Amino acid sequence: MRTIQAAAITETVAKLCIQANTHLPPDVAAALDAARQSEPWPLARETLGLLWNNLELAEEKNLPVCQDTGMACVFVELGQEVHIEGEFEAAIHEGVRQGYGEGYLRKSIVGDPLRRVNTGDNTPAAITLRLVPGNACKITVAPKGFGSENMSRLGMLKPADGVEGVKRFVVETVLLAGSNPCPPTVLGVGIGGSFDKAAYLAKHALLRPIDQRNPDPFYASLELELLDEINALGVGPQGFGGKTTCLGLSIETAPTHVAGLPVAVNVSCHVTRRAAAEL
């Protein structure tokens, strides 16, 4: 049994909050760079160039890549042979509080969904915990802005809708979103499970680097097919047209009920952010 101090979790989360908000993951940055160099539509190419300049300035000056520094979504893979000395969730919340304060990141969380009073420190975090074998603790912070989050959808399809129904739902989600999620987007798609599981799968899919395909060849092919269909829609960067509507699309699946086909699409923007560390 290995012991990890809650203070170490707090310190790690604080650093990851700042890192994720100021440095775009290499895979997303590479996709955006490739898009700006290959985009044939002049206005779209110019728009992608402006987005790229923004990323370079953020990197150079250690500033947020977007003014919406998001809800702190924290994913933890906790080894079954780890003992946390102290309060686990409280340590994560404190890390978010410190990171958003020290990094001068915008505080966007309200303590109640209807009474709308800002908590003042971007807490509480949205925590997802998964127990895994071993004695390590991997923490991923994925700040999620709500310009894109608000465009996400969940559909309870019928089994008879099949793969074509799933494809229609995903493409329709992009069309309905239009320019609202600051395209080019990154999409996480969850298929299967239950109502809540599909949404989790879609969110978790955004953690996979967009240059890594699903290990199942069937779903890897479906990812590429959907990506081509979406980029053929012509929404383009910031909705100005062009061939670059989506930078990447990842699918995660789970077993489901014989009578169901849940599908969720978690829409993310061109600054899909995540940073991870292992304790």
Side-chain angles (χ1 to χ4, degrees):
M1 182 66 69
R2 175 176 171 230
T3 297
I4 295 178
Q5 299 295 327
I9 292 175
T10 294
E11 181 182 359
T12 299
V13 170
K15 290 179 179 177
L16 291 176
C17 285
I18 297 172
Q19 179 185 340
N21 271 299
T22 56
H23 298 78
L24 205 60
D27 58 294
V28 180
L32 188 63
D33 189 26
R36 75 186 179 103
Q37 295 187 50
S38 63
E39 175 61 59
W41 181 250
L43 182 56
R45 187 167 60 249
E46 180 184 357
T47 302
L48 289 169
L50 291 171
L51 298 179
W52 183 256
N53 291 342
N54 175 69
L55 294 179
E56 287 187 321
L57 284 170
E59 183 93 18
E60 177 187 333
K61 299 182 180 296
N62 208 38
L63 292 171
V65 295
C66 177
Q67 52 83 24
D68 184 353
T69 51
M71 172 177 276
C73 299
V74 182
F75 295 82
V76 182
E77 293 182 4
L78 183 64
Q80 293 173 323
E81 298 171 32
V82 172
H83 167 67
I84 304 297
E85 187 74 41
E87 292 189 39
F88 172 72
E89 290 198 357
I92 292 176
H93 296 319
E94 180 59 27
V96 171
R97 182 179 295 109
Q98 291 182 16
Y100 274 73
E102 294 167 8
Y104 300 99
L105 306 175
R106 195 184 86 183
K107 288 81 174 175
S108 303
I109 302 304
V110 295
D112 182 273
L114 294 180
R115 286 171 286 194
R116 315 299 294 181
V117 178
N118 197 298
T119 61
D121 56 13
N122 220 60
T123 66
I127 302 171
T128 301
L129 172 65
R130 188 163 71 96
L131 291 175
V132 297
N135 63 355
C137 176
K138 181 181 179 182
I139 301 173
T140 303
V141 174
K144 193 65 167 64
F146 264 59
S148 59
E149 188 78 349
N150 284 339
M151 297 296 105
S152 302
R153 296 171 73 217
L154 174 68
M156 303 302 290
L157 306 188
K158 300 178 180 65
D161 292 325
V163 66
E164 291 303 318
V166 170
K167 287 163 58 178
R168 282 195 302 271
F169 183 82
V170 175
V171 173
E172 181 184 65
T173 298
V174 176
L175 280 172
L176 288 172
S179 64
N180 290 306
C182 288
T185 56
V186 175
L187 301 179
V189 179
I191 307 173
S194 55
F195 178 87
D196 54 320
K197 181 71 170 183
Y200 160 77
L201 292 169
K203 176 76 73 180
H204 195 265
L206 292 175
L207 302 187
R208 192 205 315 160
I210 59 177
D211 55 0
Q212 293 181 16
R213 299 267 64 85
N214 190 295
D216 184 328
F218 173 83
Y219 287 105
S221 176
L222 184 57
E223 287 174 344
L224 293 173
E225 185 179 349
L226 278 168
L227 192 59
D228 286 342
E229 285 193 29
I230 289 166
N231 282 323
L233 295 174
V235 176
Q238 303 300 297
F240 292 140
K243 74 168 191 175
T244 313
T245 297
C246 183
L247 296 174
L249 183 149
S250 301
I251 297 173
E252 285 200 8
T253 65
T256 192
H257 191 279
V258 65
L261 181 56
V263 182
V265 182
N266 196 200
V267 181
S268 191
C269 65
H270 67 280
V271 287
T272 294
R273 295 158 287 184
R274 48 182 141 76
E278 189 170 296
L279 296 175

